[in-house]
Amino acid sequence: MNILSNLLAQPAQPSVQKQRGRGIEIKSKREIEIMRQASRIVATVLKEISELVEPGMTTADLDAHAEKRIREMGATPSFKGYHGFPASICASINHEVVHGIPNPKKVIQSGDVLKVDTGAYFEGFHGDSCITIAVEEVTDDAAKLIRVAEEALFKGIEQVKEGNYLMDIAGAIQDHVEGNGFVVVEDFTGHGVGRNLHEEPSVFNYRTRQMRNVKLRSGMTLAIEPILNAGSKVTKILRDRWTAVTVDNALSAQFEHTILVTKTGYEILTDRNLV
């Protein structure tokens, strides 16, 4: 989830978390182990949703499954109640970019591009991840968008290791997205994650001088989450004050992982291949 504290107050501005004085948290070995468990819960839920989703289901059905499973595994949903968000997942379809509110009237259709984002709070720490699901047969253009979005996430992750910088991540993502004919959404960013769902630093998906270029240190935990559109990069917020959509109704895709920075590289804490 990539909502930050100023999203509702300034919907037309980039959702950028301000740097706070206490700085970026470096997690201890004990804290990292807890985050592994929180992230494993998230990975499990997203893997289950990717396997059970089918046309005719509603986004509310997916939300109910996610909340049930998160609680069964001893955690609580990170998103539910966060800044007033009413659900345990964000479910955003097609031109909906992020923060779609699950609804029993929103029926999933064959050919939909479905983004599902969720988080779990376990023993004082959060895990956070998002996937984009091609519901049955999607168009070739939609399939390419989804593929490039996931590739862009891993291009960014590949830049993660102690001594590298946030802009190394941002540049790798931006180059891959634009090189494939898509655009990076600039209104939302990744973020630090740990005791709080959103911590320092903001993790941009494009090169910018808007925030300081943080040097990565072992023990940092980051939510890297590229969002890309097939048309305009511009988004708008609907009247529900949550759902962001593309202004031109073009498709949007997103992937996200919670990542641990190590001395030699990275660990993907929300890796669905490990559950």
Side-chain angles (χ1 to χ4, degrees):
M1 193 184 206
N2 42 41
I3 181 174
L4 301 178
S5 60
N6 63 343
L7 173 59
L8 300 185
Q10 300 178 2
Q13 299 298 320
S15 301
V16 177
Q17 187 181 38
K18 301 300 184 183
Q19 299 289 340
R20 292 191 294 269
R22 64 187 180 86
I24 300 167
E25 289 191 356
I26 303 299
K27 275 67 175 184
S28 67
K29 289 183 179 180
R30 181 190 69 83
E31 292 167 345
I32 290 168
E33 182 52 40
I34 295 173
M35 285 197 66
R36 285 194 182 101
Q37 295 177 67
S39 297
R40 193 173 300 123
I41 292 168
V42 172
T44 299
V45 170
L46 288 179
K47 184 175 183 179
E48 290 176 358
I49 286 176
S50 71
E51 293 170 348
L52 67 85
V53 66
E54 62 183 11
M57 298 183 73
T58 70
T59 53
D61 293 332
L62 301 182
D63 182 63
H65 177 85
E67 180 168 2
K68 176 176 180 288
R69 292 293 290 129
I70 288 170
R71 295 190 187 279
E72 284 178 349
M73 288 183 277
T76 56
S78 298
F79 296 1
K80 195 164 189 178
Y82 186 68
H83 290 278
F85 191 76
S88 298
I89 66 170
C90 298
S92 309
I93 298 177
N94 296 332
H95 74 294
E96 296 174 340
V97 179
V98 291
H99 306 151
I101 300 174
N103 189 319
K105 295 182 179 180
K106 184 169 286 186
V107 179
I108 298 165
Q109 308 286 343
S110 179
D112 278 346
V113 175
L114 169 66
K115 284 78 70 178
V116 180
D117 191 353
T118 196
Y121 183 66
F122 179 78
E123 295 186 3
F125 290 86
H126 295 270
D128 186 9
S129 186
C130 178
I131 58 174
T132 297
I133 302 167
V135 182
E136 292 192 333
E137 293 295 322
V138 300
T139 66
D140 290 345
D141 288 343
K144 180 181 177 183
L145 178 71
I146 295 169
R147 173 179 58 80
V148 172
E150 187 167 24
E151 289 172 352
L153 170 61
F154 283 96
K155 292 291 185 180
I157 291 173
E158 288 167 3
Q159 297 301 313
V160 175
K161 69 175 180 179
E162 185 168 79
N164 276 8
Y165 289 83
L166 285 179
M167 284 304 113
D168 294 325
I169 299 171
I173 290 172
Q174 181 179 12
D175 289 346
H176 190 70
V177 171
E178 294 178 353
N180 280 278
F182 301 116
V183 295
V184 173
V185 173
E186 297 181 3
D187 291 336
F188 306 96
T189 73
H191 50 91
V193 59
R195 296 180 191 276
N196 301 294
L197 184 57
H198 294 98
E199 299 182 344
E200 296 178 22
S202 296
V203 182
F204 281 77
N205 299 309
Y206 61 98
R207 296 178 181 88
T208 179
R209 294 185 178 180
Q210 187 172 354
M211 300 290 279
R212 62 191 176 99
N213 190 10
V214 174
K215 189 175 184 178
L216 302 181
R217 293 174 56 195
S218 178
M220 287 181 179
T221 44
L222 307 173
I224 302 175
E225 46 184 321
I227 309 169
L228 47 150
N229 291 347
S232 171
K233 68 181 179 182
V234 181
T235 69
K236 64 179 180 180
I237 307 297
L238 298 184
R239 292 178 65 183
D240 64 15
R241 301 185 70 203
W242 283 100
T243 308
V245 300
T246 58
V247 294
D248 55 3
N249 289 321
L251 294 177
S252 184
Q254 175 191 7
F255 282 89
E256 174 187 18
H257 273 310
T258 295
I259 304 295
L260 169 68
V261 181
T262 70
K263 289 189 178 299
T264 58
Y266 59 85
E267 179 181 344
I268 302 175
L269 300 183
T270 48
D271 190 343
R272 296 180 301 281
N273 294 318
L274 301 180
V275 299

